[in-house]
Amino acid sequence: MSSDDLTLDELQQLRHLSRTVDDLLEESLKHRENLARSFQRLLPPVASLLGARALAVTTLDEELASTTFSHGDFDGVFPGTLLAESRWGVRRLGSGHTFVSQQLDVVGVPVGSIGALFPGDRLADAAKLARALETVAEELDTVLASVQTAAEKHQLLVALNGSLANRVFEVGMDGAVRALCEKVKLPGFLLLYRDAVESGALHYRVYQYGQLEHASNGRRLKALDDAIVAHGPTLVAPNDKHLARVLEGGKALETVLISGVGDSHTLGKLMVWGNGEGFSAYAIDLLRLLASTLSQRLIDYNRERIHLAQFFAGPVIDELLRDPDYTRRYLAPRAEEVGLLFADINGFTRICEQVLERPERIGKFVDDWSEEAVRILHRHGGVFDKMVGDCVIGLFGPPFFKDQPGERAAAAIAAAVEIQRFTRETMSAHPEISRLSEVLALPGLGVAIGVNLAVSYCGLFGPNRSYTSFSTGMNQTARLQSLGGFRETLVMQRAWESARALGGPALDGLSVGALEETPVKNVAQPLRYYRLVGG
């Protein structure tokens, strides 16, 4: 029967029924009621208007669990069982009463089912009863769909947070993309993000249907590598279009990851693309959800990298962060034999007072020298412990202690040679040092370096969780360094002999003078050391 076949009385009844259901749902929405409370409000008056003995709805609740909400007596039968039979329409039950049911859906997507039990045999009114139930269903469809959509988004958010909570960022990211792709079809997905430590560097992960295909630390994508070389960090800028051109065909959607509200600093960019298809509003909402969650995770990840970068080289940080338990396994304090290096600028106090003079010039000079000195430590596998005044302290062996003690001593000696060369050849030409020869009668800049090999207690210490070392060996090395003259490197006996016994290219072209022995303040035994020759 079409709407033209409805009597005026029935049409008015259906309109009244529709308004009543709408008003009851709006009241529930206003009071922010959950589904259980909403159906407690809705079902009794609607059942009365329908003239039904009982009314029931089966749908997914806020936890996405299938739940049946009901009012009235279904002759002792659980109404969810009747609705689960999926026989939509009007039928007579064994009890003699009439059951009317239909599916609830939005644009063909099922969101539940509704059923009403009418007293006696009402098959003759089947069309009228079905129309009345459909009127109720039309009001419920959209409400239930929105509840389910919200619940799905919440569950996805929980899944994303759970994945991204993984201490290993890349593993967490892979899990988050898989969780997203279980909800929406994404043929292509790209995460491009900045390196928090190495300025200008970008990393990426590329997925197809949720599976990792390419990564900057794995199977690389040449087209993307070329774009990074050509355009660098501008690729993650909000309005940059170069990244889209890397993708072959398809319609792409970009989302820029930022570090916070009102902060223009971009962390990276998400890009998704399909096979010539666009994206639904639902898919776009989920992508924004991931972008928001991922931005916070990147902030935390970058903060972790920046903290570690105070001590370790980039490759070491990468290796640490691949282990979810790296803090306990590698950074917890432990006693090991460690290569030690103390490098101090010769005559720094005189240079500051008579050459550099102004505080800002002193600061700039120290920054320039120490920045490269730390790079040299890192290149030779060392860890930057700290800087005391103008003295740079390096440790060799931490955090993994994979090599032999002799190798640690050899690495410390090789680093000392390079620091001497850099200071002598490069820093002596520094604009602030050009007056050295004139004022102090020195042929440029020099450093005094002490190298040792000693058991030390290394790890994270103090409120700032700084990676450092404690031992009598540290004190010995400081005293040794203080004995060094202009552009001299002194190497403790054990360090030199351990490195020499091991052999290898680190000591090529190097030799030492005679073994010397010098008593020093606050050290029980005299220091036994060699003066390095060559390099």
Side-chain angles (χ1 to χ4, degrees):
M1 180 183 292
S2 67
S3 59
D4 295 335
D5 298 323
L6 294 175
T7 64
L8 178 60
D9 183 57
E10 183 183 354
L11 185 59
Q12 290 175 338
Q13 290 176 359
L14 294 178
R15 286 179 176 171
H16 176 60
L17 178 62
S18 178
R19 283 197 301 270
T20 300
V21 174
D22 184 64
D23 290 344
L24 290 169
L25 291 173
E26 187 173 340
E27 192 71 13
S28 289
L29 183 63
K30 184 171 69 175
H31 288 86
R32 299 184 182 278
E33 294 173 343
N34 61 16
L35 279 179
R37 184 67 188 92
S38 296
F39 280 117
Q40 286 174 8
R41 179 189 295 275
L42 178 73
L43 295 181
V46 172
S48 177
L49 284 175
L50 290 172
R53 289 187 56 183
L55 183 62
V57 174
T58 293
T59 188
L60 299 181
D61 64 13
E62 292 87 350
E63 301 298 325
L64 296 182
S66 181
T67 306
T68 299
F69 304 93
S70 64
H71 167 74
D73 180 18
F74 282 85
D75 292 328
V77 178
F78 176 57
T81 303
L82 295 173
L83 289 171
E85 294 175 357
S86 301
R87 291 167 54 196
W88 314 126
V90 181
R91 67 184 189 272
R92 188 100 178 268
L93 301 181
S95 63
H97 299 309
T98 304
F99 185 65
V100 183
S101 63
Q102 76 166 67
Q103 181 173 268
L104 300 170
D105 65 75
V106 175
V107 198
V109 178
V111 295
S113 55
I114 184 170
L117 185 67
F118 293 90
D121 182 358
R122 301 290 299 277
L123 293 181
D125 299 325
K128 184 176 181 180
L129 298 178
R131 285 195 293 270
L133 193 66
E134 178 154 354
T135 298
V136 178
E138 287 175 351
E139 295 292 339
L140 282 175
D141 288 341
T142 304
V143 172
L144 294 179
S146 65
V147 169
Q148 291 183 24
T149 298
E152 286 178 352
K153 288 180 180 178
H154 174 71
Q155 287 202 347
L156 178 61
L157 180 60
V158 171
L160 294 179
N161 283 330
S163 293
L164 292 173
N166 193 302
R167 288 294 303 274
V168 182
F169 174 75
E170 291 85 353
V171 174
M173 183 64 206
D174 296 348
V177 173
R178 283 195 299 271
L180 178 65
C181 289
E182 288 174 2
K183 297 296 182 183
V184 292
K185 181 181 178 183
L186 296 176
F189 187 102
L190 165 69
L191 167 65
L192 182 68
Y193 57 101
R194 304 169 73 112
D195 190 302
V197 176
E198 186 179 346
S199 177
L202 295 173
H203 305 286
Y204 61 82
R205 298 183 81 73
V206 183
Y207 305 83
Q208 286 191 354
Y209 296 102
Q211 299 302 312
L212 182 67
E213 290 288 321
H214 301 279
S216 50
N217 62 348
R219 181 170 171 252
R220 303 183 71 94
L221 181 60
K222 184 179 185 304
L224 189 51
D225 285 336
D226 292 344
I228 290 173
V229 170
H231 306 289
T234 60
L235 289 174
V236 299
N239 299 316
D240 187 83
K241 301 301 180 185
H242 292 101
L243 194 57
R245 299 189 188 111
V246 174
L247 307 176
E248 296 180 3
K251 193 168 184 179
L253 176 69
E254 289 185 354
T255 301
V256 176
L257 306 176
I258 60 173
S259 55
V261 176
D263 190 338
S264 60
H265 177 68
T266 56
L267 300 168
K269 184 179 285 187
L270 291 181
M271 177 173 284
V272 296
W273 61 95
N275 297 325
E277 302 173 359
F279 301 95
S280 67
Y282 178 70
I284 293 172
D285 281 347
L286 295 187
L287 287 169
R288 288 172 178 161
L289 195 64
L290 174 59
S292 174
T293 308
L294 182 57
S295 291
Q296 184 56 54
R297 179 63 181 94
L298 268 175
I299 290 171
D300 295 339
Y301 176 68
N302 288 344
R303 187 180 296 121
E304 191 171 21
R305 287 187 64 87
I306 290 169
H307 175 252
L308 294 173
Q310 296 177 83
F311 325 108
F312 306 113
V316 174
I317 296 172
D318 293 339
E319 187 170 351
L320 286 171
L321 293 179
R322 282 194 288 270
D323 188 332
D325 197 26
Y326 77 85
T327 302
R328 183 189 64 81
R329 291 188 63 186
Y330 302 118
L331 305 187
R334 58 197 284 191
E336 294 279 355
E337 197 163 17
V338 177
L340 304 171
L341 181 151
F342 281 57
D344 190 272
I345 298 173
N346 294 123
F348 186 66
T349 300
R350 290 177 63 203
I351 293 172
C352 291
E353 291 178 350
Q354 300 180 41
V355 179
L356 298 176
E357 298 174 342
R358 296 198 307 272
E360 64 272 18
R361 295 174 66 187
I362 296 170
K364 175 68 166 59
F365 168 76
V366 171
D367 269 352
D368 290 347
W369 177 75
S370 62
E371 185 176 354
E372 182 58 26
V374 171
R375 286 198 190 100
I376 292 169
L377 292 179
H378 286 167
R379 279 200 294 272
H380 291 276
V383 173
F384 173 58
D385 179 315
K386 66 176 76 70
M387 192 166 185
V388 181
D390 62 305
C391 181
V392 166
I393 301 173
L395 311 175
F396 294 80
F400 304 116
F401 298 100
K402 295 177 180 178
D403 50 4
Q404 299 300 313
E407 293 176 280
R408 299 166 196 172
I413 293 169
V417 169
E418 189 173 348
I419 290 173
Q420 286 283 13
R421 184 183 304 121
F422 156 72
T423 306
R424 181 176 66 246
E425 298 176 1
T426 303
M427 287 304 297
S428 291
H430 192 282
E432 299 290 359
I433 303 302
S434 59
R435 295 174 57 213
L436 269 179
S437 298
E438 176 186 346
V439 176
L440 302 180
L442 290 174
L445 195 67
V447 286
I449 300 179
V451 175
N452 195 4
L453 181 65
V455 174
S456 288
Y457 197 52
C458 303
L460 294 176
F461 294 93
N464 294 330
R465 308 308 292 154
S466 296
Y467 195 93
T468 188
S469 174
F470 297 96
S471 67
T472 57
M474 292 284 284
N475 187 35
Q476 289 175 349
T477 315
R479 300 298 179 188
L480 179 68
Q481 178 274 317
S482 68
L483 297 176
F486 184 71
R487 293 178 178 172
E488 280 192 335
T489 297
L490 308 185
V491 184
M492 288 287 280
Q493 180 182 11
R494 168 150 174 75
W496 174 256
E497 293 177 356
S498 297
R500 186 180 60 183
L502 193 67
L507 304 187
D508 286 352
L510 301 178
S511 61
V512 293
L515 181 64
E516 300 180 41
E517 183 174 292
T518 304
V520 294
K521 185 179 179 181
N522 295 329
V523 176
Q525 300 296 324
L527 301 183
R528 296 174 60 84
Y529 58 90
Y530 297 99
R531 295 181 189 271
L532 195 65
V533 179

